[in-house]
Amino acid sequence: MNDIDAQRLMIKVARLYHTHEMRQTDIAKRLQISQSRVSRLLAQAEDASIVRTVVAVPPHIHAELEERVEALYGLSEVHIIDAVSDNEQELGKDLAHTMASLLQDVAFEVSTIALTSWSKTMRMMIDTMLPMRTRCKHVVETLGDLGPPSLQHATARSTQQFAALTGAQPVFLRTPGVAASPEMKELLLSGDPHAREALQMLDSVDLALVGIGADEIDPDLRPGDNFFSDEQFARVRALGAVGEVCLHFLDADGNPIDSELEDLVVGITREQLRNARHRWAVAGGARKHRAIRAAAAGGWVDTLVTDAATARFLVDTASADRKAAADLKPAQSTPRRRTAASKA
């Protein structure tokens, strides 16, 4: 059997098992092969990403904690997972699987999705996704190219893959995500009608899949490589930044930081992000605790997928802030009793 015939058999077995819900013994009889071979072919189909398995976490495992975070931060939905490891890569995979499961069952009408494809967790999510039941028209990248060419290629491939899963047309933003100067940004956009069109499409976003970053350079990125430098990060931290949402820096309360860096970003604006009908974020881990809190407190996201430790951090800090605010309130003064001398 040549390679093409072997691949066809693998796909046929995968379809009979996953799509037609046939038992392995029945598949073996139908195709006149051994059951052990059916098992091997199913495993090979997963290894080749022909079959993507999504672990659907039952809702409300952390119901009380989810409701607490929603109430404290005014979020529409919070979905919390138990991390199997403190390792950031493994945590990202768990979060990505959960987000993929939620996206598959989007219940509202979606025409345009804004995708932060440079986010590693988003790319892992796309690799595990099944086709969305709700079809959309356009998937637009939220940011231009960031980092080295290998990362740019990976993000473009993820955008293309996600668009296929949603039945949409991919809209790429093929321009540096961070310009060297405001003048260079203007020059880049003036000569690129495709980039201008992509940015205009971000005016009407039904679902923004938001990236949340810490107040430091992401491990996948290099300083100054279509990105900010260490010195620029230091300056914005001095202004109070604790993290960023789609490269818009925020202080601890979620207020946007006005700095020269804002004029260098080529991507979704703060106003466009605010105007998106739905804003979903997936993020977790200790390194991003303060950034996630800022994004939630500032109303930059309305649905959050995170881990239990991060959720407890969100609750603890919000409770501590409320207590501190209560302690700062002046004690209500009681009227003094008038003495006989004062009455005279």
Side-chain angles (χ1 to χ4, degrees), residues 8-26:
R8 285 174 176 162
L9 179 60
M10 178 173 61
I11 293 171
K12 184 178 290 186
V13 167
R15 281 180 171 165
L16 290 173
Y17 185 75
H18 292 283
T19 304
H20 298 275
E21 299 181 347
M22 289 181 63
R23 295 182 302 176
Q24 292 189 26
T25 52
D26 294 333

Side-chain angles (χ1 to χ4, degrees), residues 40-97:
R40 287 197 302 273
L41 288 167
L42 289 172
Q44 290 170 10
E46 288 196 25
D47 291 340
S49 295
I50 291 171
V51 172
R52 298 187 182 97
T53 304
V54 176
V55 179
V57 179
H60 311 309
I61 293 297
H62 289 283
E64 186 175 344
L65 184 56
E66 289 170 346
E67 290 173 2
R68 186 77 173 130
V69 176
E70 289 167 358
L72 287 169
Y73 291 90
L75 298 173
S76 300
E77 288 185 50
V78 174
H79 300 270
I80 297 172
I81 65 163
D82 287 309
V84 299
S85 168
D86 292 333
N87 179 274
E88 196 167 294
Q89 179 78 6
E90 293 187 15
L91 173 59
K93 287 182 180 179
D94 287 339
L95 293 170
H97 273 262

Side-chain angles (χ1 to χ4, degrees), residues 12-189:
K12 184 178 290 186
V13 167
R15 281 180 171 165
L16 290 173
Y17 185 75
H18 292 283
T19 304
H20 298 275
E21 299 181 347
M22 289 181 63
R23 295 182 302 176
Q24 292 189 26
T25 52
D26 294 333
I27 295 172
K29 290 178 182 177
R30 177 167 175 168
L31 300 180
Q32 297 183 343
I33 57 177
S34 66
Q35 185 177 342
S36 60
R37 189 176 182 190
V38 170
S39 297
R40 287 197 302 273
L41 288 167
L42 289 172
Q44 290 170 10
E46 288 196 25
D47 291 340
S49 295
I50 291 171
V51 172
R52 298 187 182 97
T53 304
V54 176
V55 179
V57 179
H60 311 309
I61 293 297
H62 289 283
E64 186 175 344
L65 184 56
E66 289 170 346
E67 290 173 2
R68 186 77 173 130
V69 176
E70 289 167 358
L72 287 169
Y73 291 90
L75 298 173
S76 300
E77 288 185 50
V78 174
H79 300 270
I80 297 172
I81 65 163
D82 287 309
V84 299
S85 168
D86 292 333
N87 179 274
E88 196 167 294
Q89 179 78 6
E90 293 187 15
L91 173 59
K93 287 182 180 179
D94 287 339
L95 293 170
H97 273 262
T98 303
M99 187 68 148
S101 179
L102 293 174
L103 273 173
Q104 186 185 351
D105 295 321
V106 167
F108 50 84
E109 184 178 346
V110 177
S111 179
T112 300
I113 296 178
L115 173 66
T116 308
S117 54
W118 64 270
S119 162
K120 182 189 294 185
T121 307
M122 290 290 181
R123 295 198 304 276
M124 289 192 289
M125 174 201 77
I126 293 167
D127 285 339
T128 63
M129 270 187 67
L130 299 173
M132 276 178 57
R133 293 190 173 92
T134 299
R135 305 277 86 183
C136 76
K137 293 181 180 178
H138 297 101
V139 169
V140 188
E141 292 180 326
T142 61
L143 287 163
D145 293 328
L146 301 176
S150 58
L151 179 58
Q152 296 174 31
H153 177 70
T155 58
R157 187 175 55 205
S158 289
T159 300
Q160 180 77 53
Q161 184 178 345
F162 184 75
L165 290 166
T166 61
Q169 178 72 30
V171 180
F172 301 99
L173 193 50
R174 294 282 72 83
T175 183
V178 175
S181 67
E183 294 76 19
M184 182 59 72
K185 173 181 174 179
E186 183 64 30
L187 183 61
L188 288 168
L189 294 180

Side-chain angles (χ1 to χ4, degrees), residues 299-319:
W300 299 97
V301 301
D302 55 31
T303 294
L304 175 64
V305 176
T306 192
D307 60 285
T310 299
R312 285 191 286 270
F313 171 83
L314 295 176
V315 169
D316 292 344
T317 51
S319 300

